[in-house]
Amino acid sequence: MSVSDPIADMLTKIRNAGMAKHEKVDIPTSKLKLEIVKILKIEGYIKNFKKANMDGSNVIRVFLKYDENTVPIIHGLEKVSKPGRRVYMGYKKMPRVLNGYGTLIVSTSQGVTTGKKAAEKKVGGEIICTVW
C-alpha cells in the first residue's frame, strides 16, 4: 500500500507508539525523515535513533523518551503543511509553538531546521510540523 503523505505517516507512528508506551518504533527511511528525526533528537524529544536494515528494507529505529512517570516527552505532533495545502512562511512571520516551549520544523533552502534557527539565519521555507 502506498502512502500519500509519508511525513504525516511517520509523525502518526511516533505519536501512536508514545501513547502505547513502546520503547521504539521503526519508520521507513528517507532523507527528509532522517533530518526530522535528527532535529527531534537535538531538541530532546527522543532518546536516540539509528538506521537499520529490516528484511531488506532500510528503516530508522526511533527510541522514544519518557519521564519518570512513563508519560511521553512528546505531548503533541502536528503536521502543518499537507500535500493538498502547502504552508510557506517568511522568517519575519515564523510562528511560535506554545509561546516558545514547542518546536517548529521548517524545510528551508539551507536544509531542514527549527523555526528559531531559520529566523536567526533569516531564511523562510515550508513549515513541516510542530512538536510540543
Side-chain angles (χ1 to χ4, degrees), residues 22-40:
H22 289 286
E23 180 186 339
K24 62 187 181 300
V25 62
D26 291 335
I27 300 164
T29 304
S30 78
K31 290 180 184 177
L32 181 59
K33 290 178 189 178
L34 192 61
E35 291 300 315
I36 292 170
V37 170
K38 284 180 186 176
I39 291 173
L40 292 176

Side-chain angles (χ1 to χ4, degrees), residues 19-73:
M19 289 190 300
K21 309 269 191 278
H22 289 286
E23 180 186 339
K24 62 187 181 300
V25 62
D26 291 335
I27 300 164
T29 304
S30 78
K31 290 180 184 177
L32 181 59
K33 290 178 189 178
L34 192 61
E35 291 300 315
I36 292 170
V37 170
K38 284 180 186 176
I39 291 173
L40 292 176
K41 167 77 170 118
I42 291 168
E43 295 293 317
Y45 290 108
I46 61 173
K47 272 188 204 173
N48 209 346
F49 68 94
K50 70 176 185 178
K51 290 169 69 174
N53 193 339
M54 297 271 302
D55 301 327
S57 63
N58 292 329
V59 294
I60 303 169
R61 180 163 286 164
V62 178
F63 297 94
L64 301 175
K65 192 174 185 180
Y66 299 94
D67 66 2
E68 61 275 350
N69 298 326
T70 65
V71 176
I73 297 296

Side-chain angles (χ1 to χ4, degrees), residues 73-87:
I73 297 296
I74 297 176
H75 295 287
L77 277 168
E78 187 175 295
K79 181 89 161 81
V80 177
S81 200
K82 296 178 170 66
R85 182 174 181 268
R86 302 289 183 189
V87 178

Side-chain angles (χ1 to χ4, degrees), residues 7 11 21 25 29 34 39 43 48 52-53 56 81 91-92 97 101 105 110-111 113-114 130:
I7 302 303
L11 298 176
K21 309 269 191 278
V25 62
T29 304
L34 192 61
I39 291 173
E43 295 293 317
N48 209 346
N53 193 339
S81 200
Y91 75 92
K92 291 181 182 177
V97 181
Y101 286 105
I105 298 178
Q110 298 178 3
T113 185
T114 63
T130 58

